[in-house]
Amino acid sequence: MLRERSTADYILSQALPSLPAEEMAALVMRAQGGDRAARELAIRRCILFVAMIARSGKCRRLYLHYKEDSLTIGMSAVDHAIDKFDPSRGATFLTYCKWAIQNRLERRGFELVASVRQPDRKASQVFAELNNKSLDA
């Protein structure tokens, strides 16, 4: 029986092994210069790193329930990190990526939680503040 491949399986199948820090920095610098192939290669080299970050720590729950979303959000964070990375600041590219991926995934997790449930006391507090502002005006 053939199992249908999910999007996450396809993304992970496109992964390439990571490079040493110096080679990765050179690849990112080429991508920053406008080399589309270098940008795609840098992102593919980071897919397994994205999956590792998504499976760990605070991001784990999001990864378990929304695997494809976690991977695509992480890869978009890598794409953004390519544009913002500055090797003269002393950090390696993967160190910078880790920060960017974690922040992007945590923000997405907060968005999901906020859209699902708001406590009643929070809603009444917001309405009270709005009423006070309208009375003051």
Side-chain angles (χ1 to χ4, degrees):
M1 179 164 129
L2 290 174
R3 188 181 128 230
E4 190 173 320
R5 285 178 52 167
S6 70
T7 306
D9 292 335
Y10 175 75
I11 292 170
L12 291 171
S13 73
Q14 299 299 308
L16 295 172
S18 188
L19 293 172
E22 299 82 23
E23 292 179 36
M24 194 65 174
L27 184 64
V28 169
M29 296 308 288
R30 282 189 11 229
Q32 286 178 344
D35 185 349
R36 236 10 236 162
R39 178 177 292 270
E40 184 177 325
L41 185 59
I43 291 171
R44 287 182 66 193
R45 297 238 180 232
C46 291
I47 291 174
L48 295 176
F49 185 69
V50 168
M52 182 189 76
I53 298 297
R55 278 188 236 128
S56 65
K58 297 177 186 175
C59 309
R60 185 179 180 90
R61 176 173 277 158
L62 181 68
Y63 180 79
L64 291 175
H65 295 289
Y66 305 98
K67 192 179 222 177
E68 290 89 3
D69 288 349
S70 295
L71 293 173
T72 54
I73 290 168
M75 289 185 338
S76 73
V78 170
D79 189 39
H80 182 74
I82 289 172
D83 294 330
K84 299 294 182 185
F85 178 65
D86 182 11
S88 67
R89 300 184 91 185
T92 65
F93 179 67
L94 289 182
T95 301
Y96 185 76
C97 268
K98 180 179 180 181
W99 175 83
I101 294 165
Q102 283 177 333
N103 283 345
R104 188 83 52 104
L105 288 172
E106 285 177 18
R107 188 173 342 130
R108 179 61 180 148
F110 289 140
E111 289 170 3
L112 284 172
V113 169
S115 67
V116 172
R117 179 180 171 273
Q118 274 295 341
D120 292 334
R121 68 178 189 284
K122 181 69 175 172
S124 26
Q125 180 184 2
V126 170
F127 288 127
E129 288 175 13
L130 290 174
N131 287 335
N132 289 340
K133 287 182 183 179
S134 65
L135 293 175
D136 292 339

